[in-house]
Amino acid sequence: MQIGVLAIQGGFSKHENSLRKLNVNPIEVKYEYQLNNCDGLIIPGGESTTISKLLNKYYLINPIKEFAKTKPIFGTCAGLILMSRNSNDSRVENLNIIDVEINRNGWGRQISSFSQMIKIGQNLNYEIEAIFIRAPKIFNIGEKVEVLAEINGEPVFVKQGIHFGATFHPELTEDITIHKLFIESIAV
Ligand code: GLN
């Protein structure tokens, strides 16, 4: 299995490390043709306004939307902001892959970065450390969206069909539970 990691800005190399730990071959994606070899794609955290600008520059907006029709995408933090229906910031062109709205930097300045143990899924029973860095908040969740984890009623990990989105950074801990979940959801 080969998983693409969008490598135009942000924390892509840490995602590559997490994938390698699972014996999955990461492919750095910068150009459209590189998507052809990927069974799934990770859109990393970073700065969503910058990533959005670069997605336009590299003509990747439509190819990623097309990719999402048949192959799974996992967005973390800025990656989820991009995947959302609406991130309420005109500088971000939303890919509209996960039917949620986003409030960028929604956790406020004082707690713009924090780490917390979270439980994943109702039946999955995993507990992991989640690191939040100027994290977005999710609201106005569409019917098809499943909430896999939350903190005080705030969704932090969601799934819609084959796609996943997290407001935290699973690539920044040694724990590979979340990446494993994504990989295992892909039947190749
Ligand atoms: N606050 C950033 C943004 O809006 C996201 C931060 C992150 O990806 N860690 O784009």
Side-chain angles (χ1 to χ4, degrees), residues 44-49 76-79 81 104-105 132-136 167 169:
E47 180 57 40
S48 52
T49 54
T76 56
C77 207
I81 296 174
R104 292 185 59 221
N105 304 317
F132 296 81
I133 303 170
R134 298 190 306 115
T167 62
H169 289 269

Side-chain angles (χ1 to χ4, degrees), residues 4-188:
V5 183
L6 184 70
I8 52 177
Q9 198 263 338
F12 49 89
S13 66
K14 296 274 187 192
H15 278 290
E16 291 172 33
N17 292 343
S18 303
L19 291 172
R20 285 193 195 99
K21 279 192 210 161
L22 288 161
N23 293 321
V24 171
N25 193 15
I27 298 181
E28 289 195 356
V29 172
K30 254 191 175 172
Y31 302 104
E32 177 179 358
Y33 75 91
Q34 292 162 323
L35 284 171
N36 297 336
N37 304 320
C38 301
D39 301 303
L41 177 71
I42 292 179
I43 306 182
E47 180 57 40
S48 52
T49 54
T50 306
I51 300 177
S52 189
K53 229 186 259 170
L54 293 170
L55 283 177
N56 268 305
K57 185 175 167 197
Y58 288 89
Y59 303 106
L60 278 169
I61 300 264
N62 285 327
I64 292 177
K65 283 186 182 172
E66 273 307 305
F67 184 89
K69 288 182 182 163
T70 53
K71 292 184 177 165
I73 304 187
F74 175 28
T76 56
C77 207
L80 170 61
I81 296 174
L82 288 156
M83 287 175 79
S84 72
R85 166 168 40 91
N86 182 2
S87 56
N88 296 293
D89 188 323
S90 58
R91 293 167 299 174
V92 178
E93 185 170 341
N94 292 115
L95 298 165
N96 196 10
I97 293 169
I98 296 186
D99 188 11
V100 294
E101 272 194 67
I102 294 287
N103 178 9
R104 292 185 59 221
N105 304 317
W107 292 91
R109 259 195 231 151
Q110 280 102 331
I111 52 162
S112 53
S113 298
F114 62 100
S115 143
Q116 189 161 327
M117 296 306 287
I118 58 168
K119 277 208 159 79
I120 308 291
Q122 281 175 336
N123 307 316
L124 300 173
N125 242 344
Y126 300 131
E127 207 179 8
I128 60 143
E129 181 193 2
I131 297 176
F132 296 81
I133 303 170
R134 298 190 306 115
K137 274 193 180 172
I138 298 171
F139 66 103
N140 259 342
I141 296 180
E143 265 171 21
K144 294 186 180 146
V145 178
E146 208 181 317
V147 175
L148 296 179
E150 52 183 32
I151 293 182
N152 303 330
E154 296 281 355
V156 296
F157 186 34
V158 293
K159 179 176 195 282
Q160 178 173 343
I162 55 177
H163 306 297
F164 291 82
T167 62
F168 55 93
H169 289 269
E171 78 284 8
L172 293 183
T173 63
E174 293 302 312
D175 192 321
I176 47 171
T177 305
I178 299 282
H179 287 85
K180 194 161 173 243
L181 211 69
F182 180 56
I183 298 308
E184 284 178 352
S185 75
I186 305 174
V188 178

